[in-house]
Amino acid sequence: MARIIGALATSHIPAIGGAIAKGLEQDPYWKPFFDGFGPARDWLRQEKPDVAIIFYNDHGLNFFLDKMPTFAIGAAPEYRNDDEGWGIPTLPPFKGAPDLSWAIINHLVEQEFDIVSCQEMLVDHAFTLPYKLFWPKGEGPLTVPVCINTVQFPLPSAKRCVALGRAVGEAVAAWDGDKKVVVIGSGGLSHQLDGQRAGFINKPFDLKFMQSMIDEPEWAAQYSIRELVEKTGTQGIELLNWLAARAAAPRRMRKVHSNYHIPISNTAAGMMALEAA
Ligand code: DHB
Ligand code: FE
């Protein structure tokens, strides 16, 4: 029986990749952001999960606007990163966990989710940066990418993302690999990169949302996509990935650590590490 032992979440601002490459973690601009990760890295070193299921959104590397699946699951032995045009280093390939991927895909289809299964899949900064932040030497576990469309309307509702997460959690529990699994939600928190509200940040909402991740994991699912975009910005809606990851984890979780820092680039940068209570 596989177990979800932890739920992690972090923003995925591309500039983080540049800061890591240039060794700027102690730089005054970056320190308040990177300091958040120490306790999560310690916890991961201690717990040594075997697989990380990463809920993220692709920004045009693997899926462009011409073909945009609502939910896509990777089922490959490895996932390559590639140049996305942000000027950040391309990272070496990430190892997959195809057995678990197929267990998840089979369960989701049984549960009537119409997903896209991907036996080849490039992964962008929303996948690579959380991995690099939690396992800075690349020493982390095997991976399963779960890609949610937060980019091109219509987006799946928050309620639907919670249901997806829950079904992924069921698939892990039923999988006969005797493994420790962590789930990761990538993106957010509030930010808007373009349009009239470019630079929009909503700290009160972000802090309430982070608290809800601990003790009221479906709180944000009361809102429609339109309401969430209004409250968090056109890219803040990436919080759907946090919601799905949290829904995959056990209901009762306790906080290992969290951090919230405004701004990194245009974004309210948040991170959380929760462990099964
Ligand atoms: C930024 C944030 C993102 O989530 C992203 O995907 C790209 C850029 C930013 O704040 O610069
Ligand atoms: Fe993003």
Side-chain angles (χ1 to χ4, degrees):
M1 286 282 286
R3 284 180 301 132
I4 295 182
I5 60 164
L8 311 169
T10 178
S11 305
H12 62 221
I13 303 126
I16 297 164
I20 293 172
K22 293 182 198 129
L24 296 178
E25 298 203 9
Q26 295 303 312
D27 175 271
Y29 179 83
W30 287 101
K31 187 172 164 37
F33 171 74
F34 282 105
D35 276 356
F37 290 87
R41 291 171 185 173
D42 291 344
W43 182 80
L44 287 163
R45 263 195 298 273
Q46 190 186 305
E47 296 298 329
K48 296 186 183 52
D50 301 292
V51 189
I53 302 174
I54 307 184
F55 294 80
Y56 74 109
N57 56 292
D58 183 276
H59 301 68
L61 182 67
N62 193 71
F63 301 115
F64 198 60
L65 303 181
D66 59 337
K67 296 181 195 71
M68 185 56 71
T70 300
F71 300 127
I73 321 282
E78 71 167 28
Y79 303 97
R80 275 197 314 107
N81 181 215
D82 210 340
D83 183 2
E84 304 174 52
W86 292 104
I88 59 177
T90 298
L91 296 176
F94 295 78
K95 285 204 168 66
D99 289 358
L100 179 56
S101 289
W102 285 114
I104 292 171
I105 289 167
N106 284 324
H107 184 70
L108 288 176
V109 173
E110 263 165 38
Q111 295 300 310
E112 302 181 350
F113 286 89
D114 303 315
I115 49 104
V116 174
S117 55
C118 303
Q119 296 185 59
E120 266 187 63
M121 195 175 192
L122 293 173
V123 289
D124 80 352
H125 66 276
F127 179 98
T128 63
L129 292 178
Y131 195 96
K132 190 80 183 156
L133 284 165
F134 288 117
W135 295 282
K137 297 192 186 83
E139 72 279 31
L142 304 176
T143 58
V144 175
V146 177
C147 186
I148 298 180
N149 171 27
T150 70
V151 171
Q152 174 164 262
F153 282 76
L155 310 187
S157 70
K159 221 171 114 203
R160 187 68 174 152
C161 294
V162 166
L164 177 86
R166 225 183 263 144
V168 169
E170 290 162 7
V172 172
W175 183 47
D176 60 8
D178 182 20
K179 304 286 188 216
K180 288 186 186 176
V181 176
V182 289
V183 289
I184 304 182
S186 171
L189 288 173
S190 57
H191 64 302
Q192 172 143 346
L193 300 180
D194 47 25
Q196 278 181 358
R197 293 200 310 165
F200 175 79
I201 278 175
N202 185 348
K203 181 174 177 179
F205 182 89
D206 288 340
L207 295 181
K208 169 69 194 157
F209 174 65
M210 286 176 77
Q211 183 60 38
S212 77
M213 286 279 291
I214 303 169
D215 50 21
E216 219 184 329
E218 284 147 41
W219 172 78
Q222 70 181 291
Y223 296 114
S224 69
I225 289 295
R226 209 183 167 83
E227 288 168 331
L228 286 172
V229 167
E230 195 169 39
K231 289 175 192 306
T232 68
T234 42
Q235 279 74 38
I237 193 65
E238 290 174 343
L239 64 71
L240 293 176
N241 298 314
W242 288 45
L243 260 184
R246 178 61 183 89
R251 176 115 203 139
R252 279 169 41 78
M253 302 290 279
R254 68 173 156 255
K255 183 164 93 170
V256 175
H257 193 64
S258 70
N259 189 41
Y260 182 80
H261 174 67
I262 295 174
I264 293 292
S265 182
N266 290 297
T267 297
M271 70 77 62
M272 296 190 88
L274 307 176
E275 65 178 346

